[in-house]
Amino acid sequence: MHVDVTPRHLPAGAGATSEAVVTLTNTRDVIAGFGVRVLGVDPTWVQVSDPEPRLFPGATASVRVALTLPVDAPAGRWTVSVEVIDLADPAAVSVQEVVLEVPPMRRTRVVLDPPTVTAGRQAVFTAVLHNEGNTEHVGGLAAVDPEARAVFAFDPPEVVVPPRASTSVTLTARARRPWVGDPLLRPFEVRTTGPHAPAPDAPPAATGVFVQRPRFTRGALALVGLLAAVTVFATVIALALGTVVQRSAADRDLALQVAQARDAAATNGTARLAGTVVELTTGATLSDVSVEAVSADDTSAAVATVATASDGTFAVGRLTGGSYLLRVRGAGFAEVWYPAASSPDDAVAIEVEDGAAAEGLVVVVGGVPATLAGTVTGDDVGGATVQVQMPLDTAPLLGTDVARDDPSGAAPAAGDGVVVRTVPVGEDGTFEIADVPSPAVYDLVVAKTGYATHVQRVDVAAGESRSGLELPLLLGDGTISGTVSGGGGPLGGASVVASSATVRVETVSLTTDVVGSFVLRGLPTPGTYTVVVGADGRAPSTLTLTLGEGQQLTGVDVVLGDAEGTLAGAVTVPQGDPGGVEVTVTDGASTWRTAARSGSGTWRLAGVPVPGTYTVTFARADLQSQVLSVSVDGFGRVTSGAASAAGLDVSMRQATGTLSGTVRQQDAAGAPVPAGNVVVQVASGTVTRSVTTASTPAGTVGQYAVEALPPGTYTVTFTRAGTRPVAQIVVVQAGQDATLSPVLVRPAGVRGTVTRAGGTVVGGATVRLFRAVDYGLAGAQAVATTTSDASGAYAFDDVDAPQNYLVEVRVVAGGSVLGVSPPFTLAASEQRTVDVTS
């Protein structure tokens, strides 16, 4: 059988379908069936139009292979193999390699948490970078405010985020704090930086607001901390309670106060304050917390106290008109003054008149920071990490854009949340995570390279200090095994690396026993892995393999081609030495050059990466360039464009052409004879060349040649004294020897008869032809001289024209003048009769 695959270099965008054509010829003398399959990629990505074609002897069929890569396919060059097997003879196998080029798709989303922070001199934000592309994001962040009053710092200044992963950066904004006045709003934009950052006029990656309080004020503060769909972290209220409270006696006392507050009496006024208490981390309303109305002029004691209802609402009635502050307290929660201040000095006063009501007030409270501690169990726990993640499948992120971010549309799962904290695990397996916003539900994720990821969900109460947590570190339960081969058979010592976003496992193929075999163990499942196989002197091969739950994948056979190949051939030229012909080889990204050897014309270029498709150009200034396109497989063999990698031979042609010929002219009898001293002018828009036809020796008279003419259309003009010019059009091609041999018309001539006055002819007289302007001058020379014959006739042939002449007749040379003709003008090629009478 004969198998060919086109194209060998296939662009394959993530999520798009690319197609190759397998051309299969049955070279056997019987009907044969064949099996076509693609190795090196997930079978679910491949569609073969006819996986088992049957062909008659000598018949040819085309099988279309369509590959659809997933949207999260990493960028880079992948090598897959198309295997064709004779179903009647399993030993007859043809494997053709195809290189897939997955272009990088860069898309980074930035979320600020919280988007607004109220503070004094500096505010701290958390920027979460979500890499939604298929290649690494490398770079940092930059921020700018329109007034250029704030200074921004990022920690770390630069990050590297793998595809489909996220990381966080701490953003600190600093600005000069005003002494008095209202709070200042300092909006700012956040943009990504680095080699692939968007253009400056592109929309910002995120926006935030720094609400800056003056040093001395009791003005209104902006409401901060309300839960947004993209909220990743929560800022914990700045007041610590001193010690962590779980179910302490103080909490019980405060709970009793809340219960008593339900029936507590207020003053006898008619004003009213009403609103809702909201929990910071979840945005949920908060019941059974104490709400106190305090006079703005005296904060030492509460004027009235109530407790929030089950829906978090409160109403403080029977107040006299005036200015009030609201204080909210609850077991496990930090004390907060309306709307979200930690002290009465920063609180917002509420003005209310008798008989009026201030409603819709929202107070945001946060739990005292919680602490989580415990132990990671398992073998070699050193180097493991524990992450606190805000899960996507529970409030507050459930149903938000963050939870819907998965392009596949899959429901969010445990361990897929937004990272809040990450801490390393000690050598003894212990860990402690402090300052965790509470109350909230979190996923604790323990991970280490080469181990399975374990997720454990915890419900953290407000201010809780939980210890004794046990998180297991588990080995992965998936394996990938197969064989690595080269051009000469099994290949030992090849490196085999399987990696995903969180795991990297390495091994080498065996050099003894079952040479070339390998096994990758401890792979967490389910999961998708990029497997890269490489060896010294061999081109690496990349596979993408997906493991199901506990899957032991076998039979992964990888064939490594040569890392480099050699291209060679010979150059021949029409004449002369082929040396100096430059040979240029390029694959579009890299270029290699060499030159043909003098004399032999051979050339050789080693170190060309394979597999690849190359354009080979042969050029020299005086020769017409030649171009070949060849495809080389992973073993250095040419699959299209030439017979072999050592047989890239070309025959070059001259880059210019030649025009030659013989110019003839009619003689007195009308017969064409070679004409010497004819000026031949060859002209085009940019080129003008002139030569003169040969006049000696006799065998070359009339011949001319104009060499090294660039290809083009020329006007050729032939000019000779006494003859009308002749012009013709000729097209000269590269390497062509064009010919043009015109016949010019008869040259100008003067003839006539010499007679006496009585009509008697004068034979034997000397007849001379003079230029009219020269006649009579001392030393004037005749243009031509002849003698009249017995009939008195004379003739001057091949006379220069146009010109003014006269004819003089003498009895003998040097004798007396018998007669002179009047002056006359002789035109080119004119035959003029001039009779002279003495």
Side-chain angles (χ1 to χ4, degrees):
M1 62 178 171
H2 176 75
V3 179
D4 189 26
V5 179
T6 57
R8 294 303 184 104
H9 230 77
L10 196 62
T17 299
S18 300
E19 189 173 84
V21 177
V22 182
T23 303
L24 176 61
T25 302
N26 180 12
T27 58
R28 299 176 59 187
D29 55 0
V30 296
I31 298 176
F34 303 89
V36 180
R37 65 171 181 165
V38 178
L39 307 177
V41 294
D42 190 326
T44 61
W45 303 352
V46 181
Q47 286 188 339
V48 181
S49 62
D50 187 3
E52 292 189 1
R54 294 182 61 83
L55 300 177
F56 286 93
T60 299
S62 295
V63 178
R64 297 189 176 273
V65 177
L67 294 96
T68 304
L69 300 184
V71 294
D72 58 352
R77 174 179 289 189
W78 301 16
T79 301
V80 301
S81 298
V82 178
E83 180 191 75
V84 179
I85 185 172
D86 190 333
L87 298 179
D89 183 9
V93 179
S94 176
V95 178
Q96 306 289 327
E97 291 187 343
V98 177
V99 177
L100 304 180
E101 291 283 353
V102 181
M105 180 183 65
R106 295 179 172 88
R107 186 168 64 245
T108 302
R109 184 167 56 87
V110 180
V111 177
L112 276 185
D113 176 47
T116 302
V117 172
T118 301
R121 182 173 180 273
Q122 73 175 31
V124 179
F125 301 77
T126 298
V128 182
L129 286 81
H130 302 279
N131 184 0
E132 301 173 346
N134 66 350
T135 188
E136 279 188 342
H137 168 85
V138 179
L141 296 175
V144 62
D145 65 303
E147 298 179 348
R149 297 293 183 88
V151 177
F152 302 90
F154 295 86
D155 183 24
E158 184 174 277
V159 295
V160 177
V161 187
R164 323 306 297 180
S166 303
T167 191
S168 60
V169 175
T170 300
L171 164 59
T172 303
R174 296 183 178 87
R176 186 183 297 277
R177 187 176 184 182
W179 286 93
V180 294
D182 293 328
L184 297 178
L185 297 181
R186 301 194 187 279
F188 60 90
E189 296 180 351
V190 178
R191 296 180 180 272
T192 58
T193 63
H196 302 289
D201 57 351
T207 58
V209 179
F210 175 14
V211 182
Q212 192 172 31
R213 296 191 302 263
R215 296 180 184 273
F216 303 100
T217 183
R218 296 180 63 185
L221 300 175
L223 183 61
V224 296
L226 289 180
L227 180 71
V230 295
T231 300
V232 180
F233 303 106
T235 304
V236 180
I237 300 299
L239 182 62
L241 294 180
T243 59
V244 177
V245 181
Q246 295 186 1
R247 295 296 178 184
S248 64
D251 287 344
R252 291 194 297 272
D253 293 342
L254 185 56
L256 291 175
Q257 294 176 16
V258 171
Q260 294 171 358
R262 293 185 181 277
D263 301 321
T267 63
N268 294 321
T270 58
R272 180 171 175 269
L273 302 177
T276 307
V277 178
V278 177
E279 186 181 326
L280 176 67
T281 56
T282 64
T285 57
L286 195 61
S287 62
D288 293 326
V289 295
S290 170
V291 180
E292 301 174 347
V294 180
S295 173
D297 298 326
D298 182 8
T299 60
S300 60
V303 175
T305 302
V306 298
T308 57
S310 59
D311 60 356
T313 59
F314 67 89
V316 183
R318 303 177 64 185
L319 297 174
T320 59
S323 179
Y324 294 93
L325 304 179
L326 288 181
R327 177 172 62 188
V328 177
R329 294 188 293 174
F333 292 92
E335 180 180 282
V336 176
W337 295 77
Y338 172 82
S342 59
S343 67
D345 292 338
D346 293 330
V348 175
I350 306 166
E351 301 289 342
V352 63
E353 297 179 355
D354 283 330
E359 299 180 333
L361 306 175
V362 178
V363 186
V364 181
V365 299
V368 178
T371 301
L372 303 175
T375 304
V376 175
T377 61
D379 297 333
D380 191 18
V381 297
T385 60
V386 176
Q387 284 185 344
V388 179
Q389 294 185 2
M390 185 174 290
L392 304 180
D393 56 348
T394 62
L397 298 183
L398 180 62
T400 66
D401 290 341
V402 176
R404 290 190 293 266
D405 191 48
D406 189 346
S408 67
D416 291 339
V418 177
V419 178
V420 178
R421 297 279 193 280
T422 300
V423 297
V425 176
E427 294 296 332
D428 58 353
T430 59
F431 68 91
E432 182 176 353
I433 309 171
D435 297 330
V436 178
S438 64
V441 175
Y442 294 109
D443 283 338
L444 299 184
V445 182
V446 58
K448 181 182 177 181
T449 300
Y451 290 78
T453 300
H454 176 74
V455 181
Q456 183 170 319
R457 183 157 292 182
V458 294
D459 191 345
V460 182
E464 180 179 4
S465 180
R466 182 180 298 186
S467 59
L469 295 169
E470 280 197 7
L471 305 176
L473 181 63
L474 305 175
L475 285 171
D477 53 358
T479 64
I480 298 174
S481 61
T483 303
V484 180
S485 302
L491 190 62
S495 66
V496 186
V497 180
S499 60
S500 65
T502 57
V503 174
R504 177 184 174 90
V505 179
E506 301 182 24
T507 188
V508 294
S509 60
L510 295 180
T511 57
T512 59
D513 297 331
V514 184
V515 176
S517 62
F518 69 90
V519 180
L520 293 164
R521 295 185 174 87
L523 298 173
T525 60
T528 299
Y529 296 92
T530 298
V531 181
V532 179
V533 184
D536 292 340
R538 299 284 180 174
S541 178
T542 302
L543 311 175
T544 299
L545 304 175
T546 300
L547 298 181
E549 189 72 37
Q551 183 177 0
Q552 316 293 311
L553 182 61
T554 61
V556 179
D557 297 330
V558 182
V559 180
L560 298 183
D562 298 332
E564 296 179 345
T566 299
L567 301 178
V571 178
T572 57
V573 298
Q575 58 186 4
D577 191 342
V581 173
E582 185 179 66
V583 183
T584 304
V585 179
T586 180
D587 62 356
S590 300
T591 301
W592 301 266
R593 289 183 174 86
T594 186
R597 293 186 179 90
S598 178
S600 65
T602 59
W603 63 276
R604 185 175 183 274
L605 188 62
V608 178
V610 294
T613 298
Y614 298 98
T615 300
V616 187
T617 305
F618 303 84
R620 198 173 73 181
D622 62 330
L623 299 173
Q624 190 175 12
S625 297
Q626 297 286 333
V627 179
L628 296 179
S629 179
V630 295
S631 295
V632 184
D633 64 15
F635 303 98
R637 300 173 301 200
V638 172
T639 57
S640 64
S644 67
L648 304 183
D649 303 334
V650 295
S651 295
M652 304 188 69
R653 299 186 300 173
Q654 294 290 339
T656 58
T658 299
L659 177 64
S660 62
T662 301
V663 180
R664 294 176 175 81
Q665 188 173 35
Q666 294 175 349
D667 60 10
V673 295
N677 297 319
V678 178
V679 177
V680 182
Q681 184 183 64
V682 180
S684 68
T686 58
V687 176
T688 300
R689 304 276 292 281
S690 294
V691 297
T692 302
T693 60
S695 58
T696 58
T700 62
V701 173
Q703 296 180 6
Y704 74 94
V706 185
E707 299 179 343
L709 287 174
T713 301
Y714 293 88
T715 299
V716 186
T717 304
F718 301 89
T719 306
R720 187 172 187 268
T723 305
R724 289 193 303 271
V726 173
Q728 296 187 21
I729 302 297
V730 65
V731 177
V732 179
Q733 298 178 351
Q736 179 189 14
D737 186 2
T739 60
L740 190 59
S741 298
V743 177
L744 306 182
V745 297
R746 182 180 176 183
V750 179
R751 62 189 61 251
T753 304
V754 179
T755 62
R756 295 187 183 275
T760 303
V761 298
V762 180
T766 299
V767 183
R768 295 196 294 177
L769 181 66
F770 285 91
R771 290 186 177 88
V773 296
D774 296 338
Y775 189 72
L777 298 178
Q781 298 293 321
V783 173
T785 301
T786 187
T787 302
S788 61
D789 61 12
S791 62
Y794 73 91
F796 296 109
D797 293 322
D798 201 359
V799 177
D800 189 10
Q803 187 61 266
N804 293 321
Y805 294 103
L806 59 80
V807 178
E808 178 197 73
V809 178
R810 292 176 182 264
V811 176
V812 293
S816 60
V817 176
L818 291 179
V820 178
S821 71
F824 60 89
T825 299
L826 184 65
S829 297
E830 180 184 0
Q831 305 299 314
R832 173 68 69 93
T833 300
V834 179
D835 295 329
V836 181
T837 302
S838 60

